[in-house]
Amino acid sequence: MSHILFFDARLFLLLMRADDDLAAGARAEGCGICGGVLHSARYPRKPRGGPPAQLKAEYSRRHSFCCANDDCRKRTTPPSLRFLGRRVYLGAIVVLTSAMTGGVTLKRAAELNELVGVSMRTLQ
């Protein structure tokens, strides 16, 4: 995988569209506990190693839903290709880091620092 992809907004748009599809599917299924209708309850994110500047707003929130039934109110967060659970770095950046972890050398750490601003301490 080339690091050039991480500067191309099309990759991040593709991941965003995939997340939109996953979210629509989760919402259509309804609440997993009571079967109730799910309302949007997106929450803010401040991902690191982020997308190009023109996509910062789209990447500042993650899809999430909350059951409309007052007795339930269970939160449903669909799977995401952009965000990896509670991790701070975007999924694409984690994949790049994993690909480069044939050992964290000073050269690789310097490349990642230059590319996405990740520090040697974070890599270790």
Side-chain angles (χ1 to χ4, degrees):
M1 179 178 284
S2 172
H3 69 277
I4 302 299
L5 287 174
F6 295 101
F7 296 108
D8 189 344
R10 292 178 296 177
L11 170 67
F12 292 98
L13 283 171
L14 177 66
L15 295 175
M16 190 173 68
R17 287 189 188 123
D19 273 11
D20 291 344
D21 288 345
L22 290 168
R27 190 173 201 178
E29 288 179 19
C31 178
I33 303 298
C34 72
V37 174
L38 295 176
H39 289 194
S40 181
R42 294 175 59 168
Y43 56 91
R45 296 294 305 258
K46 293 181 184 177
R48 294 190 191 155
Q54 67 265 34
L55 294 175
K56 291 282 187 198
E58 288 85 350
Y59 271 70
S60 67
R61 295 214 171 259
R62 177 164 181 184
H63 290 292
S64 191
F65 303 102
C66 186
C67 181
N69 185 343
D70 285 335
D71 294 332
C72 181
R73 305 301 293 170
K74 173 79 173 139
R75 181 174 282 274
T76 300
T77 303
S80 172
L81 295 178
R82 295 180 299 158
F83 304 105
L84 295 175
R86 296 176 177 251
R87 289 179 178 71
V88 178
Y89 285 91
L90 291 175
I93 302 307
V94 173
V95 169
L96 172 64
T97 303
S98 297
M100 292 185 73
T101 57
V104 179
T105 64
L106 290 176
K107 180 181 177 189
R108 288 180 178 156
E111 288 175 13
L112 281 170
N113 184 282
E114 183 180 326
L115 198 63
V116 294
V118 65
S119 70
M120 177 65 138
R121 181 174 170 215
T122 299
L123 293 173
Q124 291 173 337

